[in-house]
Amino acid sequence: MSAIKYIPEPFRIKAVEPLKMLTRAEREEKIKEAHYNLFNLRAEDVYIDLLTDSGTAAMSQAQWAGVMTGDESYAGAKSYFRLMDACKDIFGFGYVQPTHQGRAAEKVLMPLVLKKGQLAISNMFFDTTRAHVEMAGARTIDCVVEEAKDPAKRAPFKGNMDVELMEKTIKEHGAEKFGLVVMTITNNAAGGQPVSMKNLREVSQLCRKYGIPMCIDAARYAENAYFIKRDEEGYQNTSIKDIVREMFSYADLFTMSSKKDAVVNMGGLVGVKDAGSPLVLGLKANGISYEGFVTYGGLAGRDMEALAIGLYEGIDENYLRYRIGQAEYLAAKLDEAGIAYQSPVGGHGVFVDAAALFPKIPYTEFPAQVLSVELYKEAGIRTCEIGSYMLGNDPDTGKQLKSDFEFTRLALPRRVYTQAHLDIIADALVSIKERAGQMEHGYRVTWEPPILRHFQAHLEPIK
Ligand SMILES: *Cc1c(COP(=O)(O)O)cnc(C)c1O
């Protein structure tokens, strides 16, 4: 009997979705047909889908009821105002605009704050955020704390910005070169690692000192708030909602993918603290051109209704304890088996250290992609590579970049999988570990698009 504790679900199940189970031979055929890119698989050929926690949540009965009452008016829908009331209440921002997802929020904002030749600093940029900064003509610099780069080092708030490095970087290039500072909370690329309130405060002070606007990339703001409550001194008796309000008080701007902590299947938000800012006019203009009128931004009225409800469900402390508890449960199983991951475990999943698991496979052959393919073959589990394969090539030289990490991300959809599913995942990893030491070769790219290649590229095994 294992002593690992599982936090029971604070809900019961009302609707179910049947799953198909293929044989190992069928899975080997499917992944070959998909050019060893898991994004090319049909979802019905996957048993446990941990590709992403984005847009994969199970909505609640209240949200489904909201779908029925959604107002589909083109302009000024009731559902829009309900969403705006929730945003004002939770984030305290002066102006918020819906978009169809997070990258759309980035698309409407980035060209307004960044110009060609400028720079943007982040604790770590998420891939689409980095892409939109680059498409605006600017370049990105990551200044995450050093301990984030050591998956074995257990430290709280490994998602933090290295504020000394940030200031040094600003002085080196000159403050006028910088158009934006982005705080990604939690820090997705570093393994869903949280950012402390102290760090947000310090980064915001530096931004003020050098006159650079600060933007929160807020996809997992609620999980971040839960970590602050659990681990940061002085917040144990503060409500999640008050913690969220303080986090957002330090920023001038935010972009959000609502497909994560806001527990909906589609949606995004972009916000400006100061409703009188000239940026508001620009956001409206870009929003109307790219997304739709400002009171729906690419969303149906029913999506906005479900989002307004999901924003509150996502900051419920009992839900967050169960949610983070799932990641902790899976991580504890890996501890038992001696499988390394970004530790302590972060918010939205377990980021397995594939470089440690496959010491003989070089970064140029994508060890974390190897683990992703093996997990699919082993048990029909779909995961996502977050390493050199995702990072891609230098936009200026075209050379393969070396990522700080070679992670295989086991992202946990919200309110979807049970304890038994988590046990199957742990068992699959254990059986792969038994043969991992002998594996020496990975994959080569046979075709790739110029940007965000991991979604589409074709791979083949190196013999
Ligand atoms: C998912 C995500 C985005 C992009 O949002 P989409 O809804 O997928 O377009 C941006 N930043 C972070 C940190 C994310 O996790």
Side-chain angles (χ1 to χ4, degrees):
M1 276 293 281
S2 168
I4 302 168
K5 200 157 173 275
Y6 182 83
I7 309 279
E9 284 78 4
F11 53 81
R12 57 182 175 177
I13 296 167
K14 186 173 260 186
V16 295
E17 182 180 356
L19 295 172
K20 191 167 87 180
M21 282 164 112
L22 300 178
T23 64
R24 187 178 175 107
E26 286 170 328
R27 289 195 294 267
E28 282 176 359
E29 197 48 40
K30 297 287 182 193
I31 193 67
K32 189 172 173 211
E33 282 168 19
H35 300 284
Y36 299 95
N37 181 336
L38 291 104
F39 286 94
N40 289 335
L41 287 171
R42 284 179 181 238
E44 64 174 346
D45 295 331
V46 173
Y47 177 54
I48 300 176
D49 205 344
L50 310 181
L51 183 68
T52 175
D53 62 319
S54 179
T56 53
M59 291 212 295
S60 66
Q61 59 179 3
Q63 289 176 296
W64 282 111
V67 166
M68 261 331 288
T69 55
D71 176 355
E72 303 303 337
S73 304
Y74 189 96
K78 255 190 315 215
S79 302
Y80 164 76
F81 288 107
R82 198 154 171 217
L83 175 58
M84 292 303 108
D85 287 347
C87 289
K88 286 220 168 74
D89 180 36
I90 294 172
F91 307 122
F93 262 49
Y95 180 76
V96 178
Q97 190 173 301
T99 61
H100 84 276
Q101 61 182 93
R103 69 200 68 188
E106 293 158 5
K107 182 180 179 185
V108 301
L109 176 68
M110 292 308 174
L112 300 173
V113 290
L114 290 167
K115 283 173 198 56
K116 195 167 159 48
Q118 276 197 308
L119 296 167
I121 295 187
S122 179
N123 49 347
M124 282 187 90
F125 280 97
F126 178 68
D127 57 350
T128 62
T129 322
R130 190 185 305 279
H132 278 291
V133 168
E134 288 173 359
M135 283 191 272
R139 288 292 176 260
T140 60
I141 301 175
D142 289 348
C143 290
V144 72
V145 289
E146 215 28 57
E147 57 262 34
K149 296 175 190 170
D150 179 1
K153 180 157 184 197
R154 292 193 186 223
F157 301 109
K158 279 169 81 171
N160 279 353
M161 178 85 87
D162 182 335
V163 282
E164 267 174 42
L165 180 61
M166 173 183 164
E167 184 158 30
K168 189 169 150 256
T169 307
I170 294 171
K171 282 183 176 159
E172 210 171 278
H173 296 270
E176 67 292 342
K177 280 279 274 184
F178 290 87
L180 196 64
V181 169
V182 177
M183 286 301 277
T184 312
I185 60 172
T186 57
N187 188 333
N188 187 352
Q193 293 293 318
V195 173
S196 71
M197 195 72 91
K198 177 167 177 279
N199 194 246
L200 286 168
R201 205 177 296 127
E202 288 172 354
V203 168
S204 122
Q205 280 161 2
L206 276 186
C207 285
R208 249 150 245 163
K209 179 170 168 189
Y210 291 102
I212 308 168
M214 172 166 158
C215 180
I216 290 182
D217 184 354
R220 298 181 185 82
Y221 74 102
E223 291 173 4
N224 201 86
Y226 180 81
F227 283 113
I228 288 173
K229 179 164 179 135
R230 195 188 71 180
D231 297 339
E232 188 163 352
E233 212 189 311
Y235 288 94
Q236 278 68 50
N237 297 316
T238 312
S239 72
I240 297 289
K241 194 173 164 201
D242 286 346
I243 292 173
V244 167
R245 190 51 98 84
E246 185 181 340
M247 285 169 12
F248 279 78
S249 75
Y250 298 121
D252 306 294
L253 307 160
F254 81 89
T255 57
M256 179 188 289
S257 169
S258 311
K259 302 168 69 174
K260 290 35 175 274
D261 279 2
V263 215
V264 288
N265 304 119
M266 191 49 73
L269 295 167
V270 55
V272 184
K273 169 78 65 48
D274 171 13
S277 161
L279 278 176
V280 171
L281 213 57
L283 282 178
K284 287 182 177 172
N286 283 354
I288 291 169
S289 309
Y290 298 134
E291 292 290 286
F293 188 57
V294 294
T295 67
Y296 74 88
L299 295 177
R302 51 182 170 269
D303 295 332
M304 292 192 285
E305 195 74 28
L307 175 52
I309 297 164
L311 284 168
Y312 286 103
E313 292 184 359
I315 57 173
D316 178 83
E317 196 175 330
N318 286 327
Y319 154 75
L320 284 168
R321 186 176 303 112
Y322 142 79
R323 162 89 184 137
I324 304 297
Q326 280 210 322
E328 287 171 338
Y329 176 81
L330 189 52
K333 292 239 158 195
L334 300 198
D335 285 338
E336 271 188 346
I339 295 170
Y341 58 90
Q342 176 65 297
S343 60
V345 72
H348 61 284
V350 179
F351 288 59
V352 178
D353 183 352
L357 194 62
F358 300 110
K360 294 181 184 161
I361 303 177
Y363 76 94
T364 48
E365 296 181 17
F366 316 129
Q369 185 67 14
V370 173
L371 180 56
S372 278
V373 173
E374 290 305 307
L375 277 166
Y376 179 69
K377 289 196 219 160
E378 184 73 27
I381 298 162
R382 176 155 68 169
T383 54
C384 185
E385 192 268 8
I386 301 203
S388 297
Y389 170 55
M390 177 184 273
L391 187 60
N393 302 318
D394 185 297
D396 297 319
T397 67
K399 222 181 139 229
Q400 171 67 52
L401 296 164
K402 183 179 188 311
S403 173
D404 289 327
F405 317 107
E406 302 297 340
F407 287 142
T408 299
R409 182 179 73 173
L410 282 59
L412 298 169
R414 291 167 181 77
R415 309 189 289 211
V416 171
Y417 292 113
T418 64
Q419 184 175 11
H421 289 120
L422 299 186
D423 289 341
I424 288 171
I425 298 159
D427 290 348
L429 281 161
V430 169
S431 83
I432 292 166
K433 183 179 185 256
E434 281 160 14
R435 57 174 189 270
Q438 292 121 267
M439 296 180 61
E440 297 186 357
H441 296 295
Y443 292 86
R444 75 166 69 86
V445 174
T446 56
W447 173 82
E448 63 188 312
I451 200 161
L452 294 173
R453 74 165 174 200
H454 62 285
F455 288 117
Q456 300 187 72
H458 293 177
L459 300 159
E460 71 180 13
I462 296 171
K463 286 282 150 26

